[in-house]
Amino acid sequence: MQLDGKVAIVTGGAGGIGAAIAQALVTQGARVVVTDLNQISLETVATGIETSVPGAVASIAGDATSTTHIDAVIELAESRFGPVDLYFANAGIGGAPGLFASDDEWSQVIDVNVMGHIRAARRLVPEWVERGSGYFVGTASAAGLLTQLGSATYSVTKHAAVGFAEWLNVTYGDRGVRASCLCPMGVDTKLLRPDDVPDDEDARLMQRAVETAGRVLTPSEVADTVIDALGDERFLILPHPEVLEMYRHKSADYDRWLRGMRRYQQGLKETTS
């Protein structure tokens, strides 16, 4: 995948990984539409990119899970820059921690972390198949390959995001449609380090688990890895290379891995209590 002249959409683009990916794409010569619920932060990001590369970015605020908004974002990209070549389903939420998240809380995190990906793919993949090219990048997490201590909602939906990107790759990869999945561990964003200190034991466990599992990267470091992976059209985009080794250990002896995770969890609980 050569990015110069390509048209991309990035959801969750008002900060963190999404903003960094948008900036990196523009640096490579792409034209980008960024979208997010947070209109003020989104406009700040778009203005910053526009200052560095005039005419390279457009923005539109809205809900990345809404089919109406997805249509509007694609229409903006097409009218401003041309047919969409890449879609980065990056918008995501942490979800309620622990086992006792309500049905409404489960529905919300499934909608954002999974259904937003599916609805965008429904809209774009048929056009890409007809054209013979297109690229879908879903942001999941290392939690989608391993697990997320403290949060069932996050772990389950990130597994689903990996599964959906994998299915797209298998189903449409020979028809010109590429699909990759971004699976970082800790990244220095509001999702990992919110302004308010978590007051829930499971939420503290979740944060501590991510911060101690490996180095916490900057969003720009993650974006650089994404750009490199797109060049090779790699399915798994792993800003933390050690995740692959962890995944191999898990698949080689699942029961041993589970026992190790329980020990790791207990140690974290003892240090955070």
Side-chain angles (χ1 to χ4, degrees):
M1 170 61 71
Q2 299 297 315
L3 295 172
D4 188 29
K6 294 295 191 293
V7 178
I9 291 170
V10 182
T11 70
I17 294 173
I21 288 175
Q23 180 66 68
L25 289 168
V26 166
T27 300
Q28 295 294 315
R31 298 295 177 259
V32 181
V33 174
V34 287
T35 182
D36 197 287
L37 279 174
N38 189 327
Q39 183 170 0
I40 294 175
S41 296
L42 182 66
E43 290 175 353
T44 300
V45 168
T47 299
I49 296 173
E50 180 72 17
T51 299
S52 62
V53 186
V57 65
S59 66
I60 177 171
D63 182 357
T65 72
S66 162
T67 54
T68 300
H69 179 66
I70 292 169
D71 285 343
V73 176
I74 293 171
E75 288 168 9
L76 174 61
E78 290 175 341
S79 64
R80 187 73 62 88
F81 303 124
V84 175
D85 300 294
L86 303 100
Y87 189 94
F88 292 81
N90 175 73
I93 58 175
L99 175 62
F100 298 102
S102 68
D103 286 0
D104 286 345
E105 289 169 329
W106 270 102
S107 294
Q108 182 185 32
V109 72
I110 289 170
D111 211 38
V112 177
N113 291 355
V114 184
M115 294 307 302
H117 298 209
I118 294 169
R119 290 171 186 139
R122 282 177 183 158
R123 175 65 172 78
L124 285 166
V125 168
E127 297 176 9
W128 287 345
V129 168
E130 184 176 351
R131 196 193 314 167
S133 66
Y135 210 132
F136 185 94
V137 182
T139 297
S141 165
L145 299 172
L146 305 169
T147 193
Q148 179 58 64
L149 298 181
S151 178
T153 55
Y154 192 79
S155 181
V156 170
T157 56
K158 292 305 184 178
H159 273 75
V162 173
F164 181 65
E166 178 183 281
W167 184 87
L168 282 179
N169 191 298
V170 170
T171 305
Y172 294 102
D174 290 336
R175 301 171 72 181
V177 178
R178 302 293 182 254
S180 295
C181 195
L182 173 58
C183 296
M185 288 198 295
V187 184
D188 191 8
T189 67
K190 295 291 186 181
L191 185 61
L192 175 61
R193 293 168 173 167
D195 293 331
D196 298 326
V197 177
D199 59 359
D200 178 276
E201 181 180 348
D202 287 315
R204 290 196 299 272
L205 174 64
M206 181 180 178
Q207 183 177 29
R208 181 67 173 157
V210 175
E211 290 180 330
T212 59
R215 187 168 73 89
V216 175
L217 302 179
T218 66
S220 294
E221 288 176 308
V222 174
D224 288 343
T225 304
V226 170
I227 297 301
D228 288 342
L230 292 176
D232 297 333
E233 297 184 354
R234 294 197 303 271
F235 174 71
L236 278 181
I237 304 176
L238 301 176
H240 296 83
E242 61 267 35
V243 170
L244 183 58
E245 191 61 27
M246 296 176 185
Y247 190 48
R248 286 172 175 158
H249 283 304
K250 176 181 178 179
S251 62
D253 191 335
Y254 220 133
D255 290 306
R256 180 180 180 183
W257 179 82
L258 288 168
R259 290 193 297 270
M261 288 300 293
R262 291 197 296 268
R263 288 194 299 271
Y264 177 47
Q265 178 176 247
Q266 184 57 40
L268 289 175
K269 285 183 175 180
E270 290 171 358
T271 59
T272 56
S273 60

